């Protein structure tokens, strides 16, 4: 899948463990790649998954589990992403996690912006 970044306004988004340090490096590498192809990163938005303080498994143990099966991220983050895309007049959201085709379509519909997966770049 070829993505033309030229003159695109891009938001980077995803779900990350709260203690993940490699995410920052991935974001910087992705920003550099986008800039080298003529795009502009206008924002980032991440939902952090922390360590569960309850007795039941959760937090980072469920880091690969969708928070909302239809969108992967929670409803509040979906609304925040929609607002960020509107405020920044974004053309594209690059999602750092793997999403199903239906999750991509649902998110795109809810935030009114095209979704692309980092793994497709």
């Amino acid at each position: 899948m070829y993505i033309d970044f030229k003159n695109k306004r891009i938001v980077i988004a995803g779900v990350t463990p709260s203690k993940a340090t490699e995410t920052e490096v991935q974001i910087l590498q992705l920003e550099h790649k986008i800039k080298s192809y003529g795009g502009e990163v206008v924002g980032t938005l991440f939902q952090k998954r922390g360590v569960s303080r309850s007795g039941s498994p959760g937090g980072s143990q469920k880091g690969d589990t969708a928070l909302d099966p239809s969108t992967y991220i929670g409803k509040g983050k979906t609304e925040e992403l929609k607002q960020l895309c509107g405020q920044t007049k974004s053309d594209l959201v690059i999602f750092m996690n793997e999403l199903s085709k239906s999750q991509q379509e649902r998110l795109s519909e809810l935030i009114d912006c095209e979704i692309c997966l980092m793994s497709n770049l």
Side-chain angles (χ1 to χ4, degrees):
M1 175 180 192
Y2 173 74
I3 304 291
D4 182 10
F5 292 121
K6 190 140 181 101
N7 300 318
K8 297 270 188 197
R9 299 176 59 79
I10 300 166
V11 170
I12 300 171
V15 176
T16 182
S18 61
K19 295 182 181 179
T21 56
E22 67 276 357
T23 303
E24 294 174 19
V25 173
Q26 289 176 325
I27 294 168
L28 290 173
Q29 290 172 338
L30 185 54
E31 286 179 347
H32 178 73
K33 185 175 189 175
I34 291 166
K35 287 178 187 176
S36 71
Y37 288 113
E40 177 185 5
V41 175
V42 294
T44 60
L45 184 75
F46 285 89
Q47 180 149 10
K48 295 189 177 199
R49 302 265 328 238
V51 177
S52 176
R53 289 180 175 76
S54 72
S56 62
S60 61
Q61 294 177 7
K62 291 186 175 181
D64 293 333
T65 305
L67 295 167
D68 179 336
S70 68
T71 60
Y72 192 82
I73 57 177
K75 291 177 183 170
K77 281 296 178 196
T78 300
E79 185 58 35
E80 283 183 55
L81 186 55
K82 178 180 181 173
Q83 290 175 3
L84 178 60
C85 289
Q87 291 169 352
T88 59
K89 296 181 174 72
S90 300
D91 302 300
L92 179 67
V93 173
I94 297 178
F95 214 84
M96 294 186 71
N97 306 87
E98 287 300 313
L99 302 177
S100 69
K101 189 72 171 159
S102 63
Q103 287 170 330
Q104 283 180 266
E105 291 169 357
R106 181 73 176 138
L107 259 179
S108 181
E109 176 185 303
L110 289 171
I111 66 172
D112 196 29
C113 193
E114 182 181 356
I115 302 287
C116 172
L117 302 181
M118 186 174 92
S119 62
N120 290 343
L121 304 181

